[in-house]
Structure formats: structure tokens, C-alpha cells
Amino acid sequence: MEAFTTHTGRAVPLRRGNVDTDQIIPAHWLKKVTRNGFEDGLFEAWRKDEGFVLNAPERKGATVLVAGPDFGTGSSREHAVWALQNYGFKTVISARFADIFRGNSLKNGLLTVVLPQETVEALWALTEADPAAEITVDLVAREVRAEGVTAPFELDDNARWRLLEGLDDISLTLANEADIAAYEARRPSFKPSTARV
Amino acid sequence: MGRTLAEKVWDDHVVRRAEGEPDLLFIDLHLLHEVTSPQAFDGLRMSGRTVRRTDLTIATEDHNTPTLDIDKPIADPVSRTQLETLRKNCAEFGVRLHPLGDVEQGVVHVVGPQLGLTQPGTTVVCGDSHTSTHGAFGALAFGIGTSQVEHVLATQTLPLAPFRTMAITVDGELPAGVTAKDLILAVIARIGTGGGQGYVIEYRGSAIEKLSMEARMTVCNMSIEAGARAGMIAPDRTTFDYLEGRPNAPVGADWDAALEYWKTLRTDDDAVFDHEVRIDANTLTPFVTWGTNPGQGAPLSSAVPDPASYADPSDRLAAEKALEYMGLSAGQPLREIAVDTVFVGSCTNGRIEDLRSAAAVLKGRKVADGVRMLVVPGSVRVALQAVEEGLDKVFTAAGAEWRHAGCSMCLGMNPDQLAPGERSASTSNRNFEGRQGKGGRTHLVSPQVAAATAVTGTLSAPADLSDVPVLTEV
Ligand code: SF4
């Protein structure tokens, strides 16, 4: 996983709440068997509308998505995270994320930042008025900065450490292989097994 | 202090607990399907890892499978590749697979329970958000992303952040014609699509205890639509009776030991939930959605709400956008909304009891002119049972299409889709924009409401059918 320390970039203000994963990447894109090539599927239905914010030429190359509350609700598809990353987003800011989406994002190094809705509104106002305005998401200081905005955000120490170091969860877990083996040894025999009967 | 059911199951699966780290939990059962697994197997291959516990892993094909002509090659090359990739991966890594054409094939959340694999007090995961279904057995069951699928394949564990607990207590008696689906739609409308966020919900109370296993699965299935991590119901006699004798259920001394453990899986009297919601079952009526998220629902007897009536500006905006997308106007009676398609199926309502209740309404009646009705059993086993009971004949005699098992129009990854602007009454779980096909408009309903709607052509409950003659010759 790519490490995340601090990132500065232009933003896409997405004034919508409850952006579900079917909107982020529609189901027909899920037939791919790779982790890349999802950029054209990102917000596919909305992008058909010329007025959609992502289509504005001045938003090209933006890397910070500032969205309404309850971003990433719905299905567990990690493709939603890959689509955002394939398109070029490094971080998403919202007042509230759906749990599975949040977990998926942090596992892939896409930093999801929870800020109060008032701060999100301030970032919308700033970046709508000035598309060139930059937002800095600083994971070291756990702080979001932009013109007129300095907002601390929370992220638990463990998740932060893994992101800062770009650590792979599986290797971390396998370092505790002895614990897994010990658990397996004491697991009752009545537990389910998928062995054919 | 006592512990809740969810906390007990969690505690029993802790492999490692360390200060400042998330708990590492053991996973008892890992379900796989073709959509969220290919990149995980790829990851294993790239790092030279194997599947740690093939005996706790099982795969089936459901999302892409066609529901017609299943003996012919799959027409869509991309769908075909995805299924072939799963077959290749399962063969290479030694994972048990039930492919299209197999008697145990079907929607993954229908297959696990019917094999007896989903058991009380287990941890169950799948790269699919509706894994919450399995919580109906008192399992801690939740959807995971593909990175986590890879993690479970490699280690049979997951590091997990702690959850909060919520009790949704439903007391009383569900009135006649009101089902588990109506109940859960009403719950979601009440607490909202974000209301369960961070919580494991335990459904309890006398109305929940009276539900059959299948109805409990319908309730737990949609926990995720309220944003919850998982939904659970304490196992009881209903659960044990359902499991006994299933192919993968424990037998002999194991059954006795299991039963003894399962009976301990109840929230202690002195346990405290972080949040509690109470619902009176007696007040519930058939419930349908009018909007584009599962929280935008209302009693069938009511009307499309006026966005201006919402105090919260973002709710108001969401309602405005939903009405525009759905082609509805405020004040329109829900009963007057005409549909083009009726879909009965999915992991929410594609089990045998669902088909029985839809068939009971349709028996001797006809699907209205201009309405297409698709009945898609949740699994091949469900289909076989339905045929044995003659339900398929009831559906086809009424003019509905009887299809092969799979996810089908629940998300339209196969050819079963709505055309742009088409409207459905669907027993599935998501009414998101374009979920059932680009531009398609979905109303979530119970199987009974689906069947009654098919007969009248507009959103209806069975009670509305008194003036539609029953054809006696069928
Ligand atoms: S039936 Fe629908 S909700 Fe259930 S697993 Fe299939 S696509 Fe997902």
C-alpha cells in the first residue's frame, strides 16, 4: 500500500449527501477482474450530465473530493475506492462515511477524513468560489488546512500509523501466526466446516 | 456488568488483543462469490500465499449468472470471464465451489444458511454487504471489502475496530398481511440510512421471536441499509429446529455440544445497549419506498411526501432529487403508482417462504396487461422445493416468468434489467438510482405486495384485491 503523509491539491466540491457505491461505480463495472482501469466508471451516470462538477475543465487534475454526509453507503465493493484512486483522488472529506467504505479506503491508502458539516460547507464555499484553491490534508498533524480553514480531524493511532508507513495488513497479522495457531488448536469441533458431507 | 449477544460472540473469537491495536478476530466461515474475489486471489498469488483454511471457505456464483438458458455459454464475455476466473481460482487454491448448474448454486446468502453452514455464535464474512443476513442465526456476520477478503483467505482472521450496540425491540403482533420486509423498511425509515452507523443491531422483542428463520433473515439482511455493521437475533428453538439435519450442521456429540453453547448466546439481563429503539408491531402496515434510498419509505396507504415537509435541508434536497429521478410528485397516493415490472427474488426475499407468499396471492389471478413479472428463486434448492410444491405452475399460469436462481434483477449485472424510465416493484433491498438498470426506478416491497402489484398494475397490498376476480379454472 502507498504511504500517506501529507497531501495538497485542488478540490472537487460534491454537494450531495448519501452518495452510494452504486453511484461511485455502477455494478456493470464490477465485472473487471483487475484493480485498475475503473477511472471512467467513476460517477458514470452523473458524468453524462455536462453540468456535473467533475466535468468542469477547471476541476481537471483535482485530487481532493469534498462530499456531503454518508458518503460510500450501500455495497461493500472496494471497486468504489479503486475508482476514486484510479481517477486521481488521494483523499475524500465528508461529515460521515459508511463503515465498510471507510475501512476499504484506509486499506488502500485513500485517506478518508471526517470533518464537521460546517467545515465541509466552508470548503465547498471556498473551492466553488475559487477552483484553484488548494486544500492540504496533513496526516502527520491530523489537520486539514485551506484558506481560512484549519480543522483538526481524528483517526485512531493504529490506522494512522499503518497509513503513514504504508504497511500491509496481512504481513502485520502473519507476524502473530502463533496466536492464530493457538486459537485454532482450542476451537471446538462443533464449529462449521465447509468440507463436503 | 452483563454482555450483549454481539459482545459475547466477539469475545469468543479474539485471537489477539493488544493495547492500541484493533482486536484480531478469528473467522469461522468465509463465503466467496465471483465479483469481489478475483483481485483478492490475485493478491495471494502475487505474494506467494495460500488459503489458510479451505475447510472454512466456500464459493458460489450468483451476481453474473443468467436466469435463462443456463446450459448455453454466457453471452456477455465480461461476465463469462469473471465466472471463469472464480472457477480457476477455486481450483488452484482448493476452495469448494458451487458453480452455475450445480444443485447447491444460488445467492451466497441463501446458500450458506440452507447448507447449515451459518450457525449461532460464529463469525461469518463475505465480500458482500448483505452478509448481515446470517446474523439471523445469532452469528456476527458482516460484509468486507476485497482487501479484507484477501486478508481472511491468507490468515482466517481480521483486525476489527470495536462496534457499538443497538437494540431494536419490536413487541406486539404483526397484523395480518404485514411481513418482515414491511417491518424492516419501517425501521430504516425511522432511523435513517445512517442511523445504524458503527452499530451492531440486535433485533429483539416478542414480534421478532415469533418470526420464522426466513423472516429473520429478511430483517437482518437489510441492517446494512440502515448503515449498521451487522444485525443479529438471539438463537432459539426456531433456529435450532431450522439447523437440525442440514448437510453441514453438526451431528451426534457435536450437535449436543453445539446446542449447549448456542443456548448461552443471549444478551444478559443486566447488559446495557449504547442505543435503544422501540417499535410497536401492532401499528405496522404494508410499507413501500418512494425514493432512491431504502430510508425513503412510507406506508402503502399514504402519499408521496412533500420535500418541503422535511426540516433538515439535506433531507429536503435528497427528497427533491429522489422525486425528480423517480418521476413522482408530492401528494401522489402511493397506491396510484403504476409499475412496468415486478421482481420477486434476491437474498432479501428469494427464499421458499417468500415464493409461497407471493404464490398465495397470485393463485387463480393474472398478472395485469403490460406488466412483466420475474420470479427468481434465491437458490437451486429453493427452485426445486418450489417446483415440488407446484409454485412454479402458479406463477406461470398467472403470466409471470419463472427463472433460474441468482441475483438477477436485484442489481442487473446479468441481462435482467430495467430499461431507462421503467418502474419496478421489487422485493430486493436497494432502490438506488440505476441499481436495477440505467435510469430504472425501483420501489422496494414485500413479496405479498409485489404479487398484488403485479395483479393490479399499481402498488397494492393483497387486501386491495377483493374486487379483482379470482379465476376459478386455474
Ligand atoms: S441478491 Fe442482490 S443484494 Fe443479495 S447478494 Fe445478490 S446482488 Fe447482492
Side-chain angles (χ1 to χ4, degrees), chain B residues 71-333:
Chain B
D71 44 345
K72 304 213 179 87
I74 295 168
D76 178 351
V78 202
S79 284
R80 196 167 63 227
T81 306
Q82 201 162 53
L83 293 171
E84 282 166 358
T85 306
L86 181 70
R87 290 171 198 177
K88 236 176 42 222
N89 285 330
C90 286
E92 181 182 337
F93 288 91
V95 171
R96 172 176 170 187
L97 167 69
H98 295 294
L100 186 62
D102 187 281
V103 68
E104 300 297 352
Q105 179 260 340
V107 179
V108 66
H109 310 306
V110 178
V111 169
Q114 83 189 3
L115 280 171
L117 281 168
T118 305
Q119 294 171 19
T122 55
T123 45
V124 181
V125 299
C126 175
D128 193 284
S129 56
H130 291 101
T131 310
S132 59
T133 312
H134 308 262
F137 291 79
L140 186 58
F142 43 88
I144 57 178
T146 298
S147 294
Q148 290 173 303
V149 170
E150 185 181 339
H151 196 284
V152 177
L153 287 172
T155 71
Q156 203 58 37
T157 64
L158 269 184
L160 288 168
F163 59 87
R164 288 174 293 168
T165 56
M166 183 189 297
I168 295 186
T169 306
V170 191
D171 280 321
E173 194 89 44
L174 287 176
V178 180
T179 67
K181 182 65 163 287
D182 304 301
L183 164 65
I184 189 64
L185 284 172
V187 166
I188 300 165
R190 165 106 162 252
I191 70 174
T193 52
Q197 210 211 336
Y199 289 100
V200 171
I201 297 175
E202 182 180 335
Y203 303 94
R204 49 211 319 251
S206 58
I208 300 292
E209 284 161 23
K210 275 176 233 147
L211 294 178
S212 70
M213 238 15 255
E214 298 200 354
R216 293 179 188 185
M217 285 189 248
T218 301
V219 171
C220 289
N221 173 274
M222 291 194 70
S223 304
I224 183 69
E225 301 334 320
R229 294 267 290 275
M232 294 177 98
I233 294 173
D236 58 11
R237 191 39 52 211
T238 305
T239 322
F240 311 147
D241 287 347
Y242 177 96
L243 279 168
E244 194 167 10
R246 299 218 166 238
N248 284 88
V251 289
D254 275 344
W255 173 262
D256 298 336
L259 207 56
E260 203 175 309
Y261 172 59
W262 295 346
K263 286 180 178 162
T264 67
L265 297 171
R266 308 197 70 81
T267 292
D268 295 328
D269 290 338
D270 57 343
V272 179
F273 288 93
D274 298 315
H275 188 69
E276 297 208 43
V277 175
R278 289 194 163 270
I279 287 178
D280 177 1
N282 299 69
T283 62
L284 295 173
T285 58
F287 214 85
V288 301
T289 63
W290 49 265
T292 53
N293 74 53
Q296 292 175 323
L300 173 64
S301 55
S302 67
V304 176
D306 185 349
S309 68
Y310 289 91
D312 182 89
S314 66
D315 285 348
R316 195 179 316 141
L317 186 68
E320 275 167 15
K321 285 206 163 115
L323 293 195
E324 190 191 321
Y325 180 85
M326 293 294 288
L328 298 172
S329 40
Q332 208 173 337

Side-chain angles (χ1 to χ4, degrees), chain A residues 18 23 30-31 34 74-76 78 96-97 99 104 173 176-177 183-184 187 189 191 193-195 197, chain B residues 12 28 39 52-53 55 57 76 79 82 96 145-147 151 193 197-198 247-248 254 413 430 433:
Chain A
N18 240 310
Q23 304 314 319
L30 310 195
K31 296 180 183 182
T34 58
S75 97
S76 64
E78 199 156 317
R96 207 158 54 209
F97 290 96
D99 282 328
N104 286 341
T173 297
N176 300 312
E177 208 276 334
Y183 183 93
E184 286 175 327
R187 195 167 167 264
S189 66
K191 289 285 188 167
S193 156
T194 60
V197 281
Chain B
D12 285 347
D28 287 315
Q39 295 87 353
R52 182 179 179 93
R53 295 294 299 266
D55 61 331
T57 312
D76 178 351
S79 284
Q82 201 162 53
R96 172 176 170 187
T146 298
S147 294
H151 196 284
T193 52
Q197 210 211 336
N248 284 88
D254 275 344
M413 271 184 92
R430 287 192 175 137
E433 291 180 19

Side-chain angles (χ1 to χ4, degrees), chain B residues 62-63 107-109 128 130 221 346-347 407 410-411 429 435:
Chain B
D62 51 9
H63 285 64
V107 179
V108 66
H109 310 306
D128 193 284
H130 291 101
N221 173 274
S346 87
C347 58
C407 294
C410 176
L411 91 167
N429 45 45
R435 168 84 175 178

Side-chain angles (χ1 to χ4, degrees), chain B residues 439-451:
Chain B
R441 297 161 168 167
T442 303
H443 296 273
L444 301 177
V445 301
S446 74
Q448 298 185 9
V449 167

